[in-house]
Amino acid sequence: MLTLKSVDSQAKIFSQLPVHSYIDPHIFEIEKKAIFDKYPKYLGHRLMAPQHGNYQVLDALNQSAILVNDHGKINLLSNICRHRQALMLENNGSASNIVCPLHRWTYGLNGELKGAPYFKETPCLNLESFPVEEIHDLIFKQTHKQTSLNIKDAMEFKQLNHLLNFESYKLHSIKIDHYNFNWKTFIEVYLEDYHVWAFHPGLNNIVNCDDLTWEFKSFSSIQKVPFREKNHSVSSPIYDLWKSKINEQSGDSKPAFGAIWLTIYPFFMIEWYPNVIVVSHLIPDEADRCRNIIEFYYPEETILFDQDYIAAQQAAYNETALEDKVICEKMHEGRRLLFKNKQEDMGPYHEPLENGLKHFHQWYQTEMSSYL
């Protein structure tokens, strides 16, 4: 049972989550109803299909749907033909129509069936379309239980308006990481900076978590970390290369920040680093499996003229992602063993480096409280 822990008569804090909440498939099924089905699903940025006819097949929906630009309107359409249920498009590209490769059934960019060869009359079988909502050009799939105003409140922070502007940026690439641990473990590691000095020597040479600041809303948090100008005594060759590229691009001016990490619960994240925006969306698959879809956006000038910067940045990002994977695996295995041995354990929060972790636990328990 997820419970509140009373501190005094004036206030309450939330306890950390019990071990079984990371392991028990029954809890995962409850999370689907209490959390996953409630919030809009992030699909992608308008930059995935910036011009008429552009499309992007969505890994977030297991390639079963596509984003399509129809004269500036972004449509979310099924990628499965209505005739013999074949998957039609792959990856991304541009097209004037959506054509099934099997029998050449042809659909318009709005999903309307325009032609079915050898049929005397075109069947009334259009592609299924789904409602979407755009917030600062970020596209979300609506759900029947959604409360979209919550997402808007979280996305429209006054101090983030300029950061959510992707003007002059272009989508460079998308990657998917697969993990064998609970989704909450990933979010927890993402939301605490206590491990950075110990486990991320490279990242620690870019950001200075000693000057970390937090900003909280009801179901989101922002971590702001300044750029570390003087080299730390411990680093990594990969991050040293990226830091040199940052300094080359910055010239005489200091980068405005080392990193800004925005998390909108349950599992949507935007990261800002010098000359790159990273958007990621964690997808829980099972109690002990999840995947993270990661989008890399760079200034158009960087994509055209500085591929070395992109290579250095992505190598650095991957180094930290691999280190975080190791942390999560160790935490998941420890919790799995405690669960197996019918034991419970949880340590204290570090303040301020784990304030985001505490905030997430409070949000999670509030969401789950009516279901447990």
Side-chain angles (χ1 to χ4, degrees), residues 28-42 133 135 140-152 183 218-219 264-267 281 284 362-371:
F28 185 76
E29 292 301 315
I30 296 175
E31 289 173 344
K32 290 180 182 179
K33 299 176 182 178
I35 298 175
F36 305 166
D37 292 343
K38 179 178 177 180
Y39 287 91
K41 306 295 188 293
Y42 173 71
E133 182 172 3
I135 305 170
F140 295 85
K141 180 178 183 289
Q142 297 180 1
T143 70
H144 66 284
K145 294 182 180 180
Q146 95 169 70
T147 52
S148 61
L149 286 177
N150 291 340
I151 292 293
K152 285 185 176 178
W183 69 275
S218 59
F219 40 78
I264 298 178
Y265 310 148
F267 24 62
H281 177 210
Q362 177 177 339
W363 173 87
Y364 176 86
Q365 293 189 57
T366 299
E367 294 293 306
M368 294 285 284
S369 60
S370 61
Y371 287 81

Side-chain angles (χ1 to χ4, degrees), residues 106-369:
T106 301
Y107 303 88
L109 300 182
N110 62 356
E112 181 182 355
L113 180 63
K114 298 173 68 174
Y118 293 97
F119 276 79
K120 292 181 179 180
E121 294 184 3
T122 301
C124 295
L125 292 172
N126 299 330
L127 293 178
E128 185 175 8
S129 63
F130 309 93
V132 298
E133 182 172 3
E134 287 192 59
I135 305 170
H136 290 293
D137 292 333
L138 298 164
I139 302 166
F140 295 85
K141 180 178 183 289
Q142 297 180 1
T143 70
H144 66 284
K145 294 182 180 180
Q146 95 169 70
T147 52
S148 61
L149 286 177
N150 291 340
I151 292 293
K152 285 185 176 178
D153 290 344
M155 295 299 298
E156 293 176 354
F157 292 143
K158 182 177 179 181
Q159 65 271 28
L160 282 177
N161 284 344
H162 66 291
L163 291 173
L164 289 172
N165 181 1
F166 282 57
E167 186 178 356
S168 81
Y169 277 74
K170 300 291 183 183
L171 174 64
H172 176 269
S173 54
I174 302 173
K175 64 170 293 192
I176 306 175
D177 288 336
H178 295 267
Y179 300 121
N180 294 319
F181 46 75
N182 185 266
W183 69 275
K184 296 187 294 296
T185 302
F186 180 98
I187 298 297
E188 288 176 347
V189 171
Y190 189 86
L191 285 173
E192 62 97 339
D193 299 81
Y194 189 31
H195 71 278
V196 171
W197 68 274
F199 225 88
H200 298 316
L203 177 62
N204 196 44
N205 196 33
I206 293 285
V207 300
N208 184 3
C209 290
D210 292 337
D211 292 330
L212 166 73
T213 59
W214 289 98
E215 296 176 17
F216 295 107
K217 294 290 183 180
S218 59
F219 40 78
S220 60
S221 67
I222 307 169
Q223 307 167 65
K224 294 184 177 180
V225 191
F227 182 74
R228 188 185 292 278
E229 293 187 80
K230 294 183 179 179
N231 285 336
H232 197 272
S233 58
V234 180
S235 184
S236 74
I238 289 177
Y239 265 92
D240 287 345
L241 175 60
W242 184 37
K243 189 170 187 177
S244 71
K245 296 294 183 183
I246 293 174
N247 288 327
E248 284 178 15
Q249 286 206 356
S250 300
D252 296 332
S253 61
K254 171 188 173 183
F257 52 84
I260 300 174
W261 297 309
L262 166 66
T263 310
I264 298 178
Y265 310 148
F267 24 62
F268 177 61
M269 297 147 283
I270 307 180
E271 308 171 47
W272 292 266
Y273 304 96
N275 299 304
V276 59
I277 302 174
V278 183
V279 180
S280 55
H281 177 210
L282 191 71
I283 299 177
D285 290 311
E286 295 180 14
D288 58 357
R289 286 198 309 112
C290 58
R291 55 199 153 106
N292 194 27
I293 300 177
I294 309 157
E295 306 158 16
F296 294 94
Y297 298 85
Y298 301 91
E300 184 175 13
E301 185 176 350
T302 300
I303 292 176
L304 292 175
F305 303 112
D306 201 348
Q307 287 291 320
D308 288 344
Y309 184 91
I310 294 174
Q313 184 275 322
Q314 291 200 4
Y317 188 94
N318 290 337
E319 178 177 282
T320 297
L322 286 172
E323 292 165 347
D324 280 340
K325 179 181 178 182
V326 172
I327 296 172
C328 291
E329 288 173 342
K330 289 181 178 295
M331 291 170 61
H332 186 78
E333 182 60 15
R335 288 163 171 167
R336 188 189 67 81
L337 291 173
L338 287 172
F339 179 73
K340 181 179 180 180
N341 295 333
K342 299 182 180 180
Q343 294 176 284
E344 189 63 76
D345 196 14
M346 56 187 71
Y349 295 108
H350 181 280
E351 303 219 9
L353 295 177
E354 291 186 312
N355 283 357
L357 177 62
K358 181 166 64 174
H359 185 263
F360 171 65
H361 285 167
Q362 177 177 339
W363 173 87
Y364 176 86
Q365 293 189 57
T366 299
E367 294 293 306
M368 294 285 284
S369 60

